[in-house]
Amino acid sequence: MAIRNIVEIGSEVLRKKSKPVVDFDQSLADLLDDMRQTMRERRGMGISAVQVGVLRRALLVEYEEDKIVEIINPTILESMGKTFDSEGCLSVPGFYTKVERPQYVKIEAYDRHGKKFFFEGEDYVAKCICHEIDHLNGILFVDYTKAGQEYKKKKGVE
Ligand code: NI
């Protein structure tokens, strides 16, 4: 396992759409292990592969203390309700803003062995899943709010 560098806002790669994982092989396992270690080291609660520069649809979410789910090729099946909570991102260090998210989501995804599973989350977990899935589509949480737009302008980044 190794700690990988986190790509920060302003880097083009964060705006690209990640491709589905097709090979559930050792390099995927290594990537997920590295993402886990990197997330821990940086004290994140979620991380997506693009944040370590890999444009594949894979992400991790810490859904309970010390419990991390590995989510590959996710599809949101259901979402309900609304929350409005503060968010941050390892790729946007030091900036937080409140973002509207669903209160509940249910997803379908694959594990590191290519086995399909379903996962659901509420509140913080739902928020985290949506934030990370956005990364796979080149979307950052700063895109959603006025404060976020101002942050990008101030920093001169997209
Ligand atoms: Ni993020």
Side-chain angles (χ1 to χ4, degrees):
M1 283 208 285
I3 292 167
R4 301 201 188 187
N5 286 330
I6 294 279
V7 177
E8 293 188 359
I9 187 166
S11 168
E12 263 178 44
V13 74
L14 284 178
R15 294 310 191 170
K16 294 192 170 150
K17 199 171 159 145
S18 295
K19 293 193 170 78
V21 170
V22 275
D23 297 318
F24 292 80
D25 56 8
Q26 188 57 45
S27 79
L28 175 67
D30 291 344
L31 170 67
L32 292 166
D33 290 344
D34 287 357
M35 283 166 63
R36 181 180 295 247
Q37 202 182 354
T38 306
M39 183 174 101
R40 283 252 186 268
E41 167 75 16
R42 297 289 301 270
R43 300 179 190 280
M45 294 165 186
I47 192 170
S48 58
V50 63
Q51 290 180 278
V52 296
V54 179
L55 283 164
R56 290 289 170 182
R57 303 185 80 79
L59 60 94
L60 308 181
V61 167
E62 185 170 354
Y63 61 96
E64 275 175 40
E65 195 170 343
D66 282 332
K67 286 189 184 168
I68 293 171
V69 59
E70 296 175 346
I71 294 172
I72 296 154
N73 298 344
T75 307
I76 294 177
L77 299 177
E78 247 182 273
S79 69
M80 281 190 304
K82 271 181 200 170
T83 57
F84 188 61
D85 263 324
S86 187
E87 277 183 38
C89 178
L90 293 178
S91 295
V92 189
F95 181 76
Y96 300 87
T97 184
K98 282 190 172 187
V99 178
E100 191 179 296
R101 298 287 188 186
Q103 189 274 329
Y104 165 90
V105 289
K106 180 179 182 183
I107 62 165
E108 174 189 292
Y110 295 83
D111 71 10
R112 63 165 67 198
H113 308 291
K115 190 170 181 287
K116 184 156 89 170
F117 69 99
F118 297 92
F119 191 81
E120 53 185 4
E122 291 184 70
D123 301 315
Y124 150 78
V125 180
K127 168 177 92 171
C128 217
I129 290 170
C130 293
H131 175 116
E132 299 309 329
I133 290 178
D134 273 353
H135 273 299
L136 307 184
N137 297 317
I139 298 164
L140 297 174
F141 75 116
V142 289
D143 301 345
Y144 292 121
T145 73
K146 202 174 162 200
Q149 299 295 349
E150 279 163 10
Y151 173 87
K152 287 191 285 186
K153 215 168 160 186
K154 201 177 94 193
K155 295 269 177 184
V157 292
E158 277 302 314

